[in-house]
mmCIF file of all heavy atoms in Angstrom:
data_model
loop_
_atom_site.group_PDB
_atom_site.id
_atom_site.type_symbol
_atom_site.label_atom_id
_atom_site.label_comp_id
_atom_site.label_asym_id
_atom_site.label_seq_id
_atom_site.Cartn_x
_atom_site.Cartn_y
_atom_site.Cartn_z
ATOM 1 N N TYR C 29 24.098 -2.136 -61.384
ATOM 2 C CA TYR C 29 24.068 -2.566 -62.778
ATOM 3 C C TYR C 29 22.747 -3.262 -63.059
ATOM 4 O O TYR C 29 22.316 -4.134 -62.302
ATOM 5 C CB TYR C 29 25.230 -3.542 -63.071
ATOM 6 C CG TYR C 29 25.165 -4.074 -64.473
ATOM 7 C CD1 TYR C 29 25.440 -3.271 -65.576
ATOM 8 C CD2 TYR C 29 24.846 -5.423 -64.701
ATOM 9 C CE1 TYR C 29 25.373 -3.783 -66.878
ATOM 10 C CE2 TYR C 29 24.789 -5.934 -66.008
ATOM 11 C CZ TYR C 29 25.051 -5.112 -67.100
ATOM 12 O OH TYR C 29 24.976 -5.611 -68.356
ATOM 13 N N PHE C 30 22.070 -2.817 -64.140
ATOM 14 C CA PHE C 30 20.797 -3.379 -64.518
ATOM 15 C C PHE C 30 20.909 -4.018 -65.941
ATOM 16 O O PHE C 30 20.994 -3.289 -66.913
ATOM 17 C CB PHE C 30 19.748 -2.279 -64.555
ATOM 18 C CG PHE C 30 19.545 -1.558 -63.217
ATOM 19 C CD1 PHE C 30 20.244 -0.397 -62.949
ATOM 20 C CD2 PHE C 30 18.726 -2.108 -62.268
ATOM 21 C CE1 PHE C 30 20.071 0.237 -61.705
ATOM 22 C CE2 PHE C 30 18.545 -1.477 -61.039
ATOM 23 C CZ PHE C 30 19.219 -0.304 -60.752
ATOM 24 N N PRO C 31 21.028 -5.349 -65.999
ATOM 25 C CA PRO C 31 21.110 -6.016 -67.287
ATOM 26 C C PRO C 31 19.796 -5.916 -68.037
ATOM 27 O O PRO C 31 18.773 -6.413 -67.558
ATOM 28 C CB PRO C 31 21.466 -7.438 -66.922
ATOM 29 C CG PRO C 31 21.004 -7.622 -65.531
ATOM 30 C CD PRO C 31 21.062 -6.277 -64.875
ATOM 31 N N THR C 32 19.813 -5.293 -69.190
ATOM 32 C CA THR C 32 18.555 -5.049 -69.931
ATOM 33 C C THR C 32 18.373 -6.072 -71.036
ATOM 34 O O THR C 32 17.228 -6.327 -71.430
ATOM 35 C CB THR C 32 18.552 -3.634 -70.514
ATOM 36 O OG1 THR C 32 19.692 -3.501 -71.391
ATOM 37 C CG2 THR C 32 18.631 -2.584 -69.431
ATOM 38 N N GLY C 33 19.462 -6.556 -71.630
ATOM 39 C CA GLY C 33 19.327 -7.506 -72.735
ATOM 40 C C GLY C 33 19.050 -6.849 -74.058
ATOM 41 O O GLY C 33 19.140 -7.507 -75.099
ATOM 42 N N SER C 34 18.757 -5.567 -74.054
ATOM 43 C CA SER C 34 18.509 -4.854 -75.305
ATOM 44 C C SER C 34 18.711 -3.385 -75.122
ATOM 45 O O SER C 34 18.551 -2.845 -73.998
ATOM 46 C CB SER C 34 17.092 -5.110 -75.829
ATOM 47 O OG SER C 34 16.134 -4.389 -75.063
ATOM 48 N N LEU C 35 19.091 -2.710 -76.212
ATOM 49 C CA LEU C 35 19.291 -1.270 -76.141
ATOM 50 C C LEU C 35 17.992 -0.549 -75.921
ATOM 51 O O LEU C 35 17.927 0.478 -75.210
ATOM 52 C CB LEU C 35 19.940 -0.779 -77.450
ATOM 53 C CG LEU C 35 20.542 0.636 -77.428
ATOM 54 C CD1 LEU C 35 21.576 0.770 -76.340
ATOM 55 C CD2 LEU C 35 21.149 0.950 -78.784
ATOM 56 N N THR C 36 16.893 -1.088 -76.466
ATOM 57 C CA THR C 36 15.596 -0.436 -76.320
ATOM 58 C C THR C 36 15.198 -0.352 -74.828
ATOM 59 O O THR C 36 14.776 0.687 -74.351
ATOM 60 C CB THR C 36 14.517 -1.211 -77.086
ATOM 61 O OG1 THR C 36 14.884 -1.226 -78.492
ATOM 62 C CG2 THR C 36 13.168 -0.575 -76.941
ATOM 63 N N LYS C 37 15.330 -1.470 -74.105
ATOM 64 C CA LYS C 37 15.000 -1.455 -72.675
ATOM 65 C C LYS C 37 15.980 -0.565 -71.917
ATOM 66 O O LYS C 37 15.579 0.103 -70.960
ATOM 67 C CB LYS C 37 15.031 -2.864 -72.128
ATOM 68 C CG LYS C 37 13.930 -3.763 -72.618
ATOM 69 C CD LYS C 37 13.934 -5.118 -71.927
ATOM 70 C CE LYS C 37 13.565 -5.044 -70.486
ATOM 71 N NZ LYS C 37 13.432 -6.386 -69.840
ATOM 72 N N GLY C 38 17.232 -0.556 -72.332
ATOM 73 C CA GLY C 38 18.190 0.315 -71.692
ATOM 74 C C GLY C 38 17.862 1.782 -71.821
ATOM 75 O O GLY C 38 17.954 2.552 -70.886
ATOM 76 N N VAL C 39 17.469 2.157 -73.051
ATOM 77 C CA VAL C 39 17.080 3.562 -73.269
ATOM 78 C C VAL C 39 15.861 3.943 -72.410
ATOM 79 O O VAL C 39 15.780 5.050 -71.869
ATOM 80 C CB VAL C 39 16.789 3.807 -74.772
ATOM 81 C CG1 VAL C 39 16.166 5.154 -74.998
ATOM 82 C CG2 VAL C 39 18.080 3.690 -75.555
ATOM 83 N N ALA C 40 14.921 3.024 -72.306
ATOM 84 C CA ALA C 40 13.728 3.299 -71.506
ATOM 85 C C ALA C 40 14.123 3.536 -70.035
ATOM 86 O O ALA C 40 13.602 4.433 -69.398
ATOM 87 C CB ALA C 40 12.736 2.129 -71.622
ATOM 88 N N LEU C 41 15.052 2.725 -69.533
ATOM 89 C CA LEU C 41 15.493 2.879 -68.152
ATOM 90 C C LEU C 41 16.281 4.198 -68.018
ATOM 91 O O LEU C 41 16.062 4.924 -67.017
ATOM 92 C CB LEU C 41 16.370 1.712 -67.740
ATOM 93 C CG LEU C 41 16.958 1.818 -66.332
ATOM 94 C CD1 LEU C 41 15.863 1.953 -65.272
ATOM 95 C CD2 LEU C 41 17.821 0.582 -66.039
ATOM 96 N N VAL C 42 17.131 4.510 -68.957
ATOM 97 C CA VAL C 42 17.890 5.763 -68.877
ATOM 98 C C VAL C 42 16.970 6.970 -68.914
ATOM 99 O O VAL C 42 17.173 7.957 -68.226
ATOM 100 C CB VAL C 42 18.951 5.822 -69.987
ATOM 101 C CG1 VAL C 42 19.554 7.227 -70.066
ATOM 102 C CG2 VAL C 42 20.040 4.789 -69.783
ATOM 103 N N ASP C 43 15.933 6.920 -69.742
ATOM 104 C CA ASP C 43 14.978 8.022 -69.770
ATOM 105 C C ASP C 43 14.314 8.235 -68.408
ATOM 106 O O ASP C 43 14.158 9.368 -67.936
ATOM 107 C CB ASP C 43 13.849 7.700 -70.806
ATOM 108 C CG ASP C 43 14.292 7.940 -72.199
ATOM 109 O OD1 ASP C 43 15.345 8.612 -72.413
ATOM 110 O OD2 ASP C 43 13.619 7.484 -73.157
ATOM 111 N N GLU C 44 13.997 7.126 -67.726
ATOM 112 C CA GLU C 44 13.389 7.227 -66.413
ATOM 113 C C GLU C 44 14.375 7.749 -65.390
ATOM 114 O O GLU C 44 14.010 8.567 -64.529
ATOM 115 C CB GLU C 44 12.850 5.881 -65.987
ATOM 116 C CG GLU C 44 11.998 5.902 -64.721
ATOM 117 C CD GLU C 44 10.724 6.737 -64.840
ATOM 118 O OE1 GLU C 44 10.324 7.050 -65.992
ATOM 119 O OE2 GLU C 44 10.145 7.087 -63.784
ATOM 120 N N ILE C 45 15.619 7.277 -65.491
ATOM 121 C CA ILE C 45 16.665 7.786 -64.607
ATOM 122 C C ILE C 45 16.862 9.288 -64.766
ATOM 123 O O ILE C 45 17.019 10.029 -63.813
ATOM 124 C CB ILE C 45 17.979 7.030 -64.851
ATOM 125 C CG1 ILE C 45 17.868 5.607 -64.397
ATOM 126 C CG2 ILE C 45 19.145 7.692 -64.107
ATOM 127 C CD1 ILE C 45 19.027 4.704 -64.801
ATOM 128 N N GLY C 46 16.835 9.730 -66.017
ATOM 129 C CA GLY C 46 16.983 11.185 -66.303
ATOM 130 C C GLY C 46 15.842 11.989 -65.688
ATOM 131 O O GLY C 46 16.078 13.060 -65.126
ATOM 132 N N ARG C 47 14.652 11.457 -65.778
ATOM 133 C CA ARG C 47 13.500 12.145 -65.179
ATOM 134 C C ARG C 47 13.644 12.243 -63.694
ATOM 135 O O ARG C 47 13.443 13.321 -63.073
ATOM 136 C CB ARG C 47 12.212 11.436 -65.557
ATOM 137 C CG ARG C 47 10.950 12.147 -65.069
ATOM 138 C CD ARG C 47 9.708 11.316 -65.307
ATOM 139 N NE ARG C 47 9.686 10.071 -64.515
ATOM 140 C CZ ARG C 47 9.351 10.018 -63.241
ATOM 141 N NH1 ARG C 47 9.030 11.119 -62.558
ATOM 142 N NH2 ARG C 47 9.350 8.883 -62.610
ATOM 143 N N LEU C 48 14.030 11.147 -63.057
ATOM 144 C CA LEU C 48 14.206 11.145 -61.600
ATOM 145 C C LEU C 48 15.333 12.039 -61.170
ATOM 146 O O LEU C 48 15.238 12.745 -60.114
ATOM 147 C CB LEU C 48 14.461 9.697 -61.132
ATOM 148 C CG LEU C 48 13.339 8.726 -61.303
ATOM 149 C CD1 LEU C 48 13.807 7.312 -60.973
ATOM 150 C CD2 LEU C 48 12.142 9.074 -60.417
ATOM 151 N N ALA C 49 16.423 12.065 -61.914
ATOM 152 C CA ALA C 49 17.533 12.941 -61.577
ATOM 153 C C ALA C 49 17.155 14.407 -61.712
ATOM 154 O O ALA C 49 17.584 15.213 -60.858
ATOM 155 C CB ALA C 49 18.744 12.607 -62.516
ATOM 156 N N ASP C 50 16.376 14.738 -62.690
ATOM 157 C CA ASP C 50 15.916 16.115 -62.852
ATOM 158 C C ASP C 50 15.039 16.516 -61.683
ATOM 159 O O ASP C 50 15.170 17.641 -61.159
ATOM 160 C CB ASP C 50 15.142 16.304 -64.143
ATOM 161 C CG ASP C 50 16.051 16.329 -65.388
ATOM 162 O OD1 ASP C 50 17.274 16.562 -65.189
ATOM 163 O OD2 ASP C 50 15.570 16.185 -66.515
ATOM 164 N N GLU C 51 14.166 15.604 -61.291
ATOM 165 C CA GLU C 51 13.280 15.904 -60.125
ATOM 166 C C GLU C 51 14.111 16.133 -58.860
ATOM 167 O O GLU C 51 13.749 16.970 -58.039
ATOM 168 C CB GLU C 51 12.285 14.767 -59.919
ATOM 169 C CG GLU C 51 11.215 14.681 -60.974
ATOM 170 C CD GLU C 51 10.234 13.554 -60.723
ATOM 171 O OE1 GLU C 51 10.431 12.838 -59.716
ATOM 172 O OE2 GLU C 51 9.283 13.373 -61.505
ATOM 173 N N ALA C 52 15.174 15.365 -58.722
ATOM 174 C CA ALA C 52 16.010 15.462 -57.534
ATOM 175 C C ALA C 52 17.075 16.538 -57.677
ATOM 176 O O ALA C 52 17.843 16.769 -56.748
ATOM 177 C CB ALA C 52 16.681 14.134 -57.249
ATOM 178 N N GLN C 53 17.102 17.219 -58.845
ATOM 179 C CA GLN C 53 18.130 18.210 -59.142
ATOM 180 C C GLN C 53 19.538 17.674 -58.904
ATOM 181 O O GLN C 53 20.398 18.329 -58.317
ATOM 182 C CB GLN C 53 17.904 19.484 -58.303
ATOM 183 C CG GLN C 53 16.590 20.157 -58.626
ATOM 184 C CD GLN C 53 16.384 21.447 -57.859
ATOM 185 O OE1 GLN C 53 16.901 21.637 -56.769
ATOM 186 N NE2 GLN C 53 15.612 22.381 -58.425
ATOM 187 N N GLN C 54 19.727 16.455 -59.373
ATOM 188 C CA GLN C 54 21.002 15.762 -59.201
ATOM 189 C C GLN C 54 21.824 15.872 -60.474
ATOM 190 O O GLN C 54 21.408 15.405 -61.511
ATOM 191 C CB GLN C 54 20.721 14.277 -58.871
ATOM 192 C CG GLN C 54 21.923 13.379 -58.886
ATOM 193 C CD GLN C 54 23.057 13.830 -57.950
ATOM 194 O OE1 GLN C 54 23.935 14.550 -58.397
ATOM 195 N NE2 GLN C 54 23.000 13.427 -56.693
ATOM 196 N N GLN C 55 22.978 16.461 -60.334
ATOM 197 C CA GLN C 55 23.865 16.656 -61.505
ATOM 198 C C GLN C 55 25.090 15.786 -61.479
ATOM 199 O O GLN C 55 25.918 15.839 -62.382
ATOM 200 C CB GLN C 55 24.282 18.129 -61.564
ATOM 201 C CG GLN C 55 23.125 19.111 -61.604
ATOM 202 C CD GLN C 55 22.297 18.965 -62.867
ATOM 203 O OE1 GLN C 55 22.861 18.725 -63.945
ATOM 204 N NE2 GLN C 55 20.978 19.089 -62.773
ATOM 205 N N HIS C 56 25.277 14.981 -60.428
ATOM 206 C CA HIS C 56 26.519 14.246 -60.281
ATOM 207 C C HIS C 56 26.435 12.749 -60.534
ATOM 208 O O HIS C 56 27.395 12.040 -60.286
ATOM 209 C CB HIS C 56 27.056 14.500 -58.841
ATOM 210 C CG HIS C 56 27.281 15.920 -58.543
ATOM 211 N ND1 HIS C 56 28.286 16.656 -59.102
ATOM 212 C CD2 HIS C 56 26.642 16.747 -57.684
ATOM 213 C CE1 HIS C 56 28.254 17.897 -58.640
ATOM 214 N NE2 HIS C 56 27.280 17.981 -57.780
ATOM 215 N N LEU C 57 25.308 12.272 -61.028
ATOM 216 C CA LEU C 57 25.225 10.870 -61.337
ATOM 217 C C LEU C 57 25.938 10.568 -62.666
ATOM 218 O O LEU C 57 26.085 11.434 -63.500
ATOM 219 C CB LEU C 57 23.782 10.367 -61.369
ATOM 220 C CG LEU C 57 23.007 10.488 -62.677
ATOM 221 C CD1 LEU C 57 21.768 9.638 -62.631
ATOM 222 C CD2 LEU C 57 22.626 11.966 -62.913
ATOM 223 N N ALA C 58 26.362 9.299 -62.822
ATOM 224 C CA ALA C 58 26.954 8.876 -64.072
ATOM 225 C C ALA C 58 26.153 7.651 -64.538
ATOM 226 O O ALA C 58 25.865 6.740 -63.769
ATOM 227 C CB ALA C 58 28.431 8.479 -63.863
ATOM 228 N N VAL C 59 25.812 7.649 -65.840
ATOM 229 C CA VAL C 59 25.025 6.574 -66.410
ATOM 230 C C VAL C 59 25.796 6.039 -67.616
ATOM 231 O O VAL C 59 26.192 6.813 -68.539
ATOM 232 C CB VAL C 59 23.635 7.056 -66.848
ATOM 233 C CG1 VAL C 59 22.867 5.887 -67.500
ATOM 234 C CG2 VAL C 59 22.858 7.608 -65.685
ATOM 235 N N ASP C 60 26.033 4.752 -67.664
ATOM 236 C CA ASP C 60 26.699 4.074 -68.757
ATOM 237 C C ASP C 60 25.685 3.150 -69.415
ATOM 238 O O ASP C 60 25.281 2.159 -68.839
ATOM 239 C CB ASP C 60 27.930 3.300 -68.274
ATOM 240 C CG ASP C 60 28.739 2.696 -69.420
ATOM 241 O OD1 ASP C 60 28.229 1.760 -70.064
ATOM 242 O OD2 ASP C 60 29.831 3.177 -69.656
ATOM 243 N N LEU C 61 25.342 3.455 -70.652
ATOM 244 C CA LEU C 61 24.339 2.698 -71.395
ATOM 245 C C LEU C 61 25.032 1.804 -72.427
ATOM 246 O O LEU C 61 25.811 2.313 -73.273
ATOM 247 C CB LEU C 61 23.341 3.627 -72.089
ATOM 248 C CG LEU C 61 22.402 3.007 -73.126
ATOM 249 C CD1 LEU C 61 21.469 1.982 -72.459
ATOM 250 C CD2 LEU C 61 21.614 4.078 -73.863
ATOM 251 N N ARG C 62 24.834 0.528 -72.352
ATOM 252 C CA ARG C 62 25.347 -0.417 -73.355
ATOM 253 C C ARG C 62 24.195 -1.262 -73.866
ATOM 254 O O ARG C 62 23.109 -1.255 -73.306
ATOM 255 C CB ARG C 62 26.393 -1.324 -72.718
ATOM 256 C CG ARG C 62 27.545 -0.589 -72.048
ATOM 257 C CD ARG C 62 28.444 0.160 -73.051
ATOM 258 N NE ARG C 62 29.413 1.000 -72.380
ATOM 259 C CZ ARG C 62 30.692 0.700 -72.285
ATOM 260 N NH1 ARG C 62 31.139 -0.440 -72.785
ATOM 261 N NH2 ARG C 62 31.539 1.532 -71.668
ATOM 262 N N GLY C 63 24.465 -2.012 -74.928
ATOM 263 C CA GLY C 63 23.415 -2.833 -75.481
ATOM 264 C C GLY C 63 22.954 -3.940 -74.552
ATOM 265 O O GLY C 63 21.826 -4.441 -74.683
ATOM 266 N N THR C 64 23.795 -4.285 -73.588
ATOM 267 C CA THR C 64 23.455 -5.344 -72.670
ATOM 268 C C THR C 64 22.967 -4.887 -71.297
ATOM 269 O O THR C 64 22.419 -5.681 -70.526
ATOM 270 C CB THR C 64 24.679 -6.268 -72.423
ATOM 271 O OG1 THR C 64 25.797 -5.447 -72.013
ATOM 272 C CG2 THR C 64 25.059 -6.991 -73.726
ATOM 273 N N GLY C 65 23.191 -3.619 -70.969
ATOM 274 C CA GLY C 65 22.758 -3.188 -69.643
ATOM 275 C C GLY C 65 23.109 -1.728 -69.365
ATOM 276 O O GLY C 65 23.741 -1.020 -70.166
ATOM 277 N N VAL C 66 22.704 -1.287 -68.198
ATOM 278 C CA VAL C 66 22.901 0.093 -67.716
ATOM 279 C C VAL C 66 23.607 0.072 -66.390
ATOM 280 O O VAL C 66 23.159 -0.607 -65.451
ATOM 281 C CB VAL C 66 21.564 0.848 -67.643
ATOM 282 C CG1 VAL C 66 21.783 2.255 -67.075
ATOM 283 C CG2 VAL C 66 20.857 0.917 -68.986
ATOM 284 N N THR C 67 24.703 0.815 -66.271
ATOM 285 C CA THR C 67 25.381 1.012 -65.009
ATOM 286 C C THR C 67 25.155 2.419 -64.529
ATOM 287 O O THR C 67 25.301 3.362 -65.281
ATOM 288 C CB THR C 67 26.899 0.760 -65.136
ATOM 289 O OG1 THR C 67 27.125 -0.568 -65.661
ATOM 290 C CG2 THR C 67 27.591 0.876 -63.784
ATOM 291 N N VAL C 68 24.766 2.572 -63.269
ATOM 292 C CA VAL C 68 24.490 3.878 -62.666
ATOM 293 C C VAL C 68 25.357 4.076 -61.450
ATOM 294 O O VAL C 68 25.501 3.154 -60.620
ATOM 295 C CB VAL C 68 23.009 4.005 -62.257
ATOM 296 C CG1 VAL C 68 22.712 5.467 -61.926
ATOM 297 C CG2 VAL C 68 22.112 3.489 -63.370
ATOM 298 N N SER C 69 25.988 5.270 -61.333
ATOM 299 C CA SER C 69 26.785 5.579 -60.163
ATOM 300 C C SER C 69 26.337 6.896 -59.542
ATOM 301 O O SER C 69 26.026 7.847 -60.262
ATOM 302 C CB SER C 69 28.277 5.685 -60.546
ATOM 303 O OG SER C 69 28.762 4.440 -60.985
ATOM 304 N N LEU C 70 26.263 6.922 -58.207
ATOM 305 C CA LEU C 70 25.829 8.078 -57.493
ATOM 306 C C LEU C 70 26.819 8.278 -56.282
ATOM 307 O O LEU C 70 27.672 7.469 -56.075
ATOM 308 C CB LEU C 70 24.417 7.842 -56.883
ATOM 309 C CG LEU C 70 23.311 7.496 -57.830
ATOM 310 C CD1 LEU C 70 22.103 6.968 -57.045
ATOM 311 C CD2 LEU C 70 22.914 8.732 -58.645
ATOM 312 N N THR C 71 26.621 9.381 -55.565
ATOM 313 C CA THR C 71 27.353 9.532 -54.321
ATOM 314 C C THR C 71 26.599 8.802 -53.190
ATOM 315 O O THR C 71 25.412 8.537 -53.317
ATOM 316 C CB THR C 71 27.538 10.992 -53.944
ATOM 317 O OG1 THR C 71 26.262 11.573 -53.627
ATOM 318 C CG2 THR C 71 28.158 11.774 -55.101
ATOM 319 N N ARG C 72 27.273 8.512 -52.113
ATOM 320 C CA ARG C 72 26.638 7.786 -51.015
ATOM 321 C C ARG C 72 25.416 8.465 -50.455
ATOM 322 O O ARG C 72 24.469 7.791 -49.995
ATOM 323 C CB ARG C 72 27.642 7.551 -49.887
ATOM 324 C CG ARG C 72 28.761 6.588 -50.207
ATOM 325 C CD ARG C 72 29.605 6.478 -48.949
ATOM 326 N NE ARG C 72 30.930 5.955 -49.237
ATOM 327 C CZ ARG C 72 31.977 6.190 -48.504
ATOM 328 N NH1 ARG C 72 31.901 6.955 -47.435
ATOM 329 N NH2 ARG C 72 33.169 5.665 -48.839
#
Side-chain angles (χ1 to χ4, degrees):
Y29 176 70
F30 301 94
T32 59
S34 73
L35 193 58
T36 300
K37 290 184 70 174
V39 169
L41 177 57
V42 170
D43 283 344
E44 188 63 16
I45 291 171
R47 183 186 67 79
L48 293 172
D50 285 345
E51 289 181 359
Q53 297 183 332
Q54 170 56 267
Q55 302 296 321
H56 300 292
L57 86 164
V59 179
D60 185 290
L61 170 64
R62 305 294 173 102
T64 53
V66 176
T67 303
V68 191
S69 296
L70 304 166
T71 66
R72 290 183 200 154

